[in-house]
Amino acid sequence: MGDSLFQLPDELLFTTLSQTFPCRDVQIRAVATLLHPHAAPCQNLVIHGTEATGKSAITAALLQALQEDTEKDEPLLRYVIVNSVECITARHLYESTIAKVAEALQWQGAAPRCDSVSQMVVELSKMLKYPSYPDNFRFVLVFDGIDRQREAPITLLPALARLSEIIPRITSVFIVTSPPASFLRTSFVPCIEFPNYTKNEFVTILNTTSLPTTPLPTTTMQETTELWSRFTGAVHDALARAASRTLPSLQHACTSLWPRFTAPILAGTHAPREFSKLMVAARVHFQDESLLDPGIVAIQSYSSSSLAQATDKTVALASAPPSQANTPRKAQSTTNTPSKPKPANPFVTATTTDLSTLLPPTARLLLLASYLASHNPTRHDLVLFSTFHHGRRKRRGGLSVGMGRGGHRGAQSKHRKIARKLLGAHAFVLERMLAIFTAVRGEWDPKWLDKDVNGREMDADIEMAIATLASLRLLVRVGGAAAGGVAGDQMDRGGKWRCNVGWEVVRGLGRSMGVEVEEWLTE
């Protein structure tokens, strides 16, 4: 019997790729069957799947391996990969495709100008249709991320799918995320899906690619491997479904959590086989999703004195009498001295998305003042922010919950009211917000006492900070120009604004400056 017309690549090629890309053996064999010249080469192929499932990496590695495999006898396969993300227009895509094809074929000639798909087809025909090639020669055009191509005409994908009808040697591969039905406007097109990894596949890949190379102190390599395997499964259960759904993000989470998870082992308080105790000790880290947001800001360094103060405070609260321990925090704050900046958690990584890091001090103070103006009634401003009889406000906590509608103590409210921080923000006049800012800036930031000498510099800082908050949509102007009228002066003291940030953001922003915003809100 003669040799079969259908012939797959060498099995060693699949073994090597399967070791490089675990849990993708089925997809690798399917793509190789539809692209290899001696197997079942097709005209068009659609490879689709969600982000970070290995579509582009596996396709590029497989085509490189197939090209090297076919060069043993005669060159039967050539390929180029055109990344649509790198092409800013459709014309850029056409010219990039022509340039890469000419480079792959070592074509002699100047790079032509392509303004349409028709001109690209003419240039491709000069290089692939008319010259003589072996009978089974195939040229694979890979369009990676073609569904995200910018300024793409509506006929781009159907035209690219018909390249193989004009040039039979071409196989067009489209790598997309979620292909619509019949988006190529042509007959049957094979589609290969790269599904998201399951938990077992995640653990297998992480055990293959990210396994620690050295054992932990006082442990063997086998114990470290078993602990890492159980650890990756726990990270997947804690973060994968809610926040970390891709392999790179899960790998980053495991790399960030592993030193924190194994810290008790290094300290000698837990053994490697006490997995449950290790999970309880590291529970706070598994609940912190900020580890999934990599940034350029390093973890803050904390001195031993700040950590000792935090420890002493925790011990003091634990040993306090029940009458003091059960006292509401707000009632305690009324008798204490003005609040100071609290030591931050040394185990939480600072990210670049924190407003306390992004905004300058003046903008932060104005944002806090705008939040108070949005959530405090105007009739209570004199009680909360007045400094007529003393230089600074000594009593904190705003108005008591026992004050009635008329503001008289002893007149209990008939209805239980919702806390103002849970209600929506109300509009306020800019002049009122600036008055609140003027009243509290000296207490919140003592540096403003020195700035009051130069009034022009102070006004310029305030105007620039308001413009910054407005451009970031942290302050939103309502009515007038914001409703579609004629644009007016942004610093109009009579204009109405509204604070566009929530309570959690404002509370964190205030604590970064040593201010408890809750103490400045009325009940």
Side-chain angles (χ1 to χ4, degrees), residues 33-112:
T33 301
L34 296 175
L35 295 182
H36 195 271
H38 292 306
C42 59
Q43 295 181 345
N44 298 295
L45 174 62
V46 176
I47 299 176
H48 64 95
T50 56
E51 181 185 359
T53 52
K55 305 182 298 295
S56 303
I58 290 176
T59 303
L62 177 60
L63 286 173
Q64 182 63 30
L66 291 178
Q67 178 176 317
E68 295 175 356
D69 182 67
T70 55
E71 285 182 349
K72 296 178 181 179
D73 300 330
E74 55 181 347
L76 295 179
L77 180 68
R78 290 289 184 271
Y79 75 96
V80 294
I81 299 178
V82 183
N83 194 348
S84 294
V85 178
E86 301 174 355
C87 302
I88 59 177
T89 59
R91 173 186 170 185
H92 191 187
L93 176 70
Y94 306 148
E95 295 183 353
S96 298
T97 303
I98 294 298
K100 291 186 177 182
V101 171
E103 181 181 359
L105 297 175
Q106 298 180 356
W107 184 262
Q108 301 296 331

Side-chain angles (χ1 to χ4, degrees), residues 255-299:
T255 305
S256 302
L257 286 172
W258 178 249
R260 297 168 172 83
F261 180 77
T262 57
I265 300 178
L266 300 178
T269 58
H270 295 76
R273 297 185 180 275
E274 297 176 341
F275 184 77
S276 300
K277 295 182 179 180
L278 291 172
M279 284 296 300
V280 173
R283 178 175 54 187
V284 63
H285 305 309
F286 281 84
Q287 296 173 350
D288 184 16
E289 295 182 0
S290 63
L291 294 172
L292 303 177
D293 187 14
I296 61 175
V297 181
I299 299 178

Side-chain angles (χ1 to χ4, degrees), residues 355 358-360 362-364 366-367 460-475 490-491 497:
L355 287 180
L358 296 175
L359 294 179
T362 305
R364 282 184 280 172
L366 284 171
L367 188 59
D461 291 343
I462 294 175
E463 294 176 2
M464 182 175 62
I466 293 177
T468 301
L469 296 175
S471 63
L472 295 175
R473 302 288 296 175
L474 300 177
L475 282 182
Q490 192 175 30
M491 291 302 297
W497 296 76

